[in-house]
Amino acid sequence: MSETENKSVEITKGVNGLEKIILREIRGSSAEVYLYGAHVTSWKNEQGEELLFVSSKAIFKPSKPIRGGIPICFPQFSNMGSLEAHGFARNRVWTIDTDPPPLPPNVTNGVFVDLLLKPTEEDLKIWPHSFEYRLRVTLGPGGDLMLTSRIRNTNTDGKAFTFTFAYHTYFSVSDISEVRVEGLETFDYLDNLKNRERYTEQGDAITFESEVDKIYLSTPTKIAILDHEKKRTFVVRKDGLPDAVVWNPWDKKAKAMADFGDDEYKHMLCVEAAAIEKPITLKPGEEWKVRQELSAVPSSYFSGQLDPSKVLQSS
Ligand code: TA6
């Protein structure tokens, strides 16, 4: 079987006929990304188990963002600016980039697709900046999922622009009250539930028993999400994205969101690689390149594999 037969890229129709791309790896892992929002909505391991959370009430209809998967927050995180929450990239239709500038393959043998977003006339009215946003979604031979973003300022009026950013990843977890996040202990964070006041995280793993909405600042390049019940550890590796947002809406906010099931907060956790505290400024011709790599490590408490310090120290 030839190398290309080992992996595949399929363009097809998804929910409501929206175009999506399916990436498949011979050993069974797969990923799906919609052109609408360049939105990854599925990432499955070799056993075909879904690793991302998408709400059963998610709306797949422009201009509503899809609730779940990996929304892209650009050019604004949350309400940190005059644009709609989390910017407009997640509710625009992207195109397949058939002739992307070369990008060194971040894995050999990965299967990938390149997507492109440029502002429309309407976008220029609300955010008067020309840019090219290239996103490469890569599924590695081991089933790791990588999102590489390249944002270029293509303004011809000599103007720089400034933005904030996040990969707003929704992880699927068995039971939020059994989940621990490692790697953010002792780091400062802005608490979105307390006017973004600044605090320092206590010295132990983060666990969940109520609504959490925190922006951790200048965090390590690796964060581990431990799901004991599923004997699974998600590892988030991030390059060029200093901050990390941790969000779970818990029960009240869950009920308040029309596109989210009342009990679904029990089965999801957002851990978002981001650039928020220090907004990014690009002069014309400059390009910003960042990457997030997600892996799911089968782990069992007794094997020591689960020892987060080992996970976080390993390459
Ligand atoms: O990333 C966390 C957060 O900013 C929360 O404050 C919450 O609003 C969440 O994003 C979801 O935002 P959305 O605009 O998708 O409803």
Side-chain angles (χ1 to χ4, degrees):
M1 191 179 281
S2 74
E3 196 185 318
T4 44
E5 283 160 342
N6 280 357
K7 53 191 177 188
S8 75
V9 180
E10 180 194 354
I11 304 172
T12 182
K13 297 281 184 202
V15 181
N16 294 337
L18 293 175
E19 273 200 298
K20 69 177 182 182
I21 297 104
I22 306 178
L23 305 177
R24 292 190 181 86
E25 235 285 322
I26 187 76
R27 281 172 263 187
S29 61
S30 68
E32 296 188 5
V33 52
Y34 277 73
L35 290 184
Y36 178 56
H39 201 130
V40 175
T41 55
S42 173
W43 171 39
K44 292 181 178 168
N45 62 18
E46 293 176 5
Q47 290 72 44
E49 297 166 320
E50 182 55 63
L51 302 168
L52 296 176
F53 164 87
V54 173
S55 171
S56 59
K57 296 191 170 180
I59 297 164
F60 286 75
K61 203 189 258 149
S63 60
K64 180 74 181 154
I66 298 169
R67 178 64 67 193
I70 311 181
I72 296 200
C73 306
F74 171 83
Q76 174 189 299
F77 177 75
S78 188
N79 59 359
M80 295 178 163
S82 59
L83 298 171
E84 60 205 289
H86 293 318
F88 53 76
R90 64 176 178 164
N91 50 19
R92 296 291 183 274
V93 178
W94 296 49
T95 56
I96 294 179
D97 192 359
T98 50
D99 181 24
L103 183 65
N106 32 39
V107 292
T108 50
N109 250 354
V111 54
F112 63 86
V113 64
D114 286 295
L115 303 173
L116 175 62
L117 180 70
K118 295 180 180 179
T120 62
E121 287 311 313
E122 289 312 299
D123 296 334
L124 290 169
K125 288 179 191 148
I126 56 170
W127 201 65
H129 299 295
S130 294
F131 64 88
E132 287 175 357
Y133 185 152
R134 287 186 164 80
L135 175 74
R136 175 170 291 185
V137 179
T138 307
L139 185 65
D144 294 354
L145 183 68
M146 280 141 284
L147 274 66
T148 307
S149 291
R150 293 183 285 179
I151 298 172
R152 178 177 291 277
N153 177 337
T154 55
N155 276 342
T156 53
D157 59 5
K159 284 206 186 112
F161 61 60
T162 298
F163 61 93
T164 48
F165 178 94
Y167 288 125
H168 198 303
T169 309
Y170 289 72
F171 291 94
S172 170
V173 298
S174 52
D175 175 352
I176 188 64
S177 59
E178 291 286 323
V179 166
R180 296 158 60 89
V181 173
E182 301 272 356
L184 298 173
E185 310 81 80
T186 73
F187 285 87
D188 282 5
Y189 63 89
L190 306 177
D191 193 331
N192 275 325
L193 304 178
K194 298 179 184 155
N195 302 319
R196 291 205 178 114
E197 278 160 24
R198 189 174 184 132
Y199 298 89
T200 303
E201 188 58 62
Q202 33 80 29
D204 199 0
I206 301 164
T207 53
F208 302 88
E209 53 203 30
S210 61
E211 181 183 4
V212 169
D213 194 348
K214 298 176 177 177
I215 304 172
Y216 290 86
L217 309 173
S218 306
T219 61
T221 57
K222 263 187 287 189
I223 299 165
I225 303 158
L226 289 77
D227 183 340
H228 289 317
E229 204 171 304
K230 280 214 178 109
K231 295 192 175 25
R232 174 184 293 150
T233 298
F234 289 108
V235 181
V236 179
R237 287 181 179 77
K238 51 191 181 72
D239 298 336
L241 296 162
D243 308 320
V245 181
V246 176
W247 178 59
N248 186 289
W250 223 250
D251 54 351
K252 283 202 191 63
K253 281 270 175 64
K255 288 193 176 68
M257 290 189 283
D259 61 348
F260 193 87
D262 292 359
D263 287 340
E264 288 187 329
Y265 70 92
K266 296 174 182 168
H267 306 299
M268 55 70 66
L269 177 66
C270 287
V271 175
E272 312 163 28
I276 299 169
E277 185 188 23
K278 301 184 183 73
I280 309 298
T281 296
L282 290 179
K283 298 193 189 84
E286 285 186 335
E287 182 176 77
W288 183 72
K289 184 180 150 207
V290 293
R291 196 169 76 102
Q292 162 178 277
E293 179 175 344
L294 305 179
S295 41
V297 190
S299 50
S300 71
Y301 214 92
F302 306 105
S303 73
Q305 266 182 1
L306 199 59
D307 175 346
S309 61
K310 285 205 176 69
V311 171
L312 295 171
Q313 276 145 24
S314 67
S315 63

